[in-house]
Amino acid sequence: MKIMHCADIHLDSKMESRLTCEQAAKRREEMLMTFHDSLDYAAEQGVRAVLISGDLFDKRHIRKTVKDKVEQEIVSHREMDFYYLRGNHDITDFLDEMDELPGNLHLFSKDKWTSYPLPDDNIVITGRELDAKASPDVMSELVLDQSKVNIVMLHGMDSEYPVHDNSYVIDLTKMRGRYIDYLALGHIHSYRWEKLDERGVLCYPGCMEGRGFDECGKKGFVVLDIDKDGVKSHKFISLARRELHEIKVELAPEDDLDSIISKVKDVLNYSPEKDLIRVVLTGRKNMDLEIDCDWIKDKTDRNFFYYEVRDDTKTKINYETFANDRSLKGTFVRTVQGLDMDEERKARIIEIGIRAIMEGSLIE
């Protein structure tokens, strides 16, 4: 039996913090089309069950056209059963607006563990919608039949990671030894597959489309081949229309603007124009070099869908140059050099101070 596992699709996400309104609108439509394509792919592969481990939608207010399209996707794929476990972003009225739930859409509860036996396959899908308010004893209430192939769905953050929202924190140590064959997780937006215990495996499929530069690289979903003995194989599938790339370019103190432009162009040679690109300048630069990110961007842009340049360089200060300098600039550098603080902070103060001194002399 084949099962598709996806999560964190975040349909109708605003995405206007960096993108123009037109770009954001295009990305929203592309995310919806990627969801459509993934279901068509699943149907072609003979998938019988689709696991959505939370955050199908992004926010409370979702356009009606989007809700209607999602409902139509479920209804039109009647050969597949959808198991939708809502995540911390799924606070829309998507389900309330349906006249009746499609017969192939199965939901879960916050109040108890809900199980769905799959006919003729000895497989049981169990899940519960949890948040930060969930009882600490909630895992002790999970009782599974060890003679079954058990799939457990949850949406939450692995306890090894910091939590910044009201999502449930999953303590994986409490999931071990509970006869779980496949732990179908959502909330972390990067693909992750690993052993849970001697019997089972866990998976975060990640999101289907990256939205920000904390979601770089391949994005997609997982298709499992599972039978009465457990998970036989799995495959990560990416149908994303665009990828996000954060590319670091290391500078040296001897670099000037021309060499920086050359370095940036070199690393961009392998970046598709359809993608979203961030170049981050790192390393150390000469104190006299002023980096203009907008200028570098204009000189190196190849009409990427989105492109930005960020300056994360550190300034190299050659204190020997100012040892015998009796000017205001030399006095300033020696004063800062004697301060009790780390070198990075000193370098930043010196860079700003000298720039102010030079600009002041030009005004005079």
Side-chain angles (χ1 to χ4, degrees):
M1 176 181 180
K2 289 187 177 180
I3 293 176
M4 171 182 165
H5 175 204
C6 61
D8 301 290
I9 303 164
H10 289 276
L11 294 175
D12 222 24
S13 180
K14 192 173 182 181
M15 293 188 293
E16 292 180 0
S17 59
R18 293 187 181 88
L19 304 181
T20 65
C21 292
E22 292 76 13
Q23 287 175 318
K26 186 174 182 62
R27 288 297 289 143
R28 285 192 290 270
E29 293 307 310
E30 288 176 345
M31 291 171 70
L32 192 58
M33 286 304 300
T34 297
F35 180 60
H36 165 84
D37 291 348
S38 70
L39 297 181
D40 278 358
Y41 174 89
E44 292 168 2
Q45 298 299 311
V47 165
R48 286 177 49 194
V50 177
L51 313 179
I52 305 176
S53 295
D55 289 355
L56 173 59
F57 299 100
D58 187 64
K59 56 188 186 297
R60 182 179 300 278
H61 300 293
I62 303 296
R63 289 173 296 158
K64 187 177 186 307
T65 54
V66 174
K67 291 184 281 189
D68 289 346
K69 285 181 181 178
V70 172
E71 181 179 0
Q72 183 58 37
E73 292 291 352
I74 296 170
V75 170
S76 64
H77 288 93
R78 290 202 176 275
E79 73 280 10
M80 300 188 295
D81 282 292
F82 291 76
Y83 297 86
Y84 174 31
L85 182 139
R86 287 163 292 189
N88 56 302
H89 280 265
D90 287 315
I91 54 178
T92 181
D93 56 2
F94 168 62
L95 298 172
D96 298 335
E97 291 190 355
M98 291 184 183
D99 294 331
E100 63 177 310
L101 293 181
N104 61 335
L105 175 60
H106 311 285
L107 305 175
F108 298 88
S109 167
K110 288 186 176 182
D111 302 324
K112 62 179 182 178
W113 292 94
T114 304
S115 295
Y116 294 98
L118 301 188
D120 305 324
D121 289 296
N122 200 45
I123 299 170
V124 179
I125 298 174
T126 301
R128 188 164 176 177
E129 296 173 352
L130 302 173
D131 58 23
K133 298 177 182 178
S135 166
D137 301 324
V138 68
M139 287 305 157
S140 64
E141 300 169 11
L142 175 62
V143 180
L144 302 172
D145 183 345
Q146 63 179 310
S147 68
K148 303 292 185 181
V149 175
N150 292 303
I151 297 173
V152 174
M153 295 177 65
L154 283 174
H155 185 89
M157 180 63 78
D158 182 345
S159 58
E160 295 180 1
Y161 293 80
V163 178
H164 304 293
D165 52 31
N166 68 334
S167 60
Y168 180 69
V169 178
I170 300 172
D171 185 349
L172 293 176
T173 62
K174 294 183 179 180
M175 306 299 294
R176 298 184 177 114
R178 293 192 171 276
Y179 311 121
I180 299 172
D181 294 279
Y182 184 73
L183 183 55
L185 300 173
H187 191 64
I188 295 177
H189 290 192
S190 297
Y191 171 60
R192 175 180 167 189
W193 177 284
E194 64 186 56
K195 288 286 289 181
L196 175 64
D197 53 23
E198 291 184 3
R199 172 167 173 156
V201 294
L202 68 86
C203 178
Y204 281 100
C207 51
M208 283 191 177
E209 288 269 2
R211 295 176 297 155
F213 287 102
D214 55 344
E215 299 173 359
C216 292
K218 294 285 185 185
K219 300 299 174 185
F221 56 93
V222 172
V223 173
L224 306 168
D225 197 351
I226 193 167
D227 64 13
K228 59 183 179 60
D229 297 318
V231 178
K232 295 169 59 179
S233 64
H234 72 283
K235 187 176 183 180
F236 177 79
I237 306 296
S238 177
L239 300 179
R241 280 163 164 71
R242 305 180 195 274
E243 288 185 33
L244 289 97
H245 309 269
E246 184 173 87
I247 307 169
K248 294 186 178 180
V249 177
E250 186 169 358
L251 305 188
E254 59 268 22
D255 278 322
D256 58 16
L257 289 176
D258 288 337
S259 62
I260 294 173
I261 294 296
S262 178
K263 284 184 174 182
V264 172
K265 285 183 176 180
D266 286 344
V267 299
L268 291 178
N269 280 336
Y270 307 100
S271 301
E273 294 177 3
K274 68 179 180 64
D275 286 351
L276 294 83
I277 313 293
R278 170 189 282 172
V279 167
V280 181
L281 306 178
T282 65
R284 292 190 173 274
K285 68 179 183 70
N286 189 288
M287 185 180 67
D288 296 325
L289 179 65
E290 185 172 350
I291 293 178
D292 185 336
C293 291
D294 289 335
W295 184 82
I296 294 172
K297 174 188 171 184
D298 290 342
K299 293 292 184 181
T300 56
D301 193 359
R302 297 207 332 261
N303 292 318
F304 296 111
F305 182 79
Y306 175 83
Y307 177 46
E308 67 176 40
V309 178
R310 290 182 55 176
D311 178 16
D312 281 357
T313 59
K314 309 297 182 184
T315 302
K316 180 179 179 180
I317 306 297
N318 187 352
Y319 291 109
E320 294 181 2
T321 304
F322 300 95
N324 299 311
D325 189 335
R326 300 305 170 189
S327 68
L328 177 59
K329 185 164 63 173
T331 302
F332 172 70
V333 171
R334 291 192 298 274
T335 300
V336 175
Q337 182 184 10
L339 297 177
D340 183 18
M341 63 178 63
D342 64 79
E343 289 301 317
E344 296 297 344
R345 192 177 177 192
K346 286 181 184 179
R348 184 60 179 153
I349 291 173
I350 289 172
E351 181 182 16
I352 295 171
I354 288 182
R355 188 175 298 139
I357 291 171
M358 297 302 292
E359 289 175 354
S361 65
L362 289 174
I363 293 172
E364 293 175 0

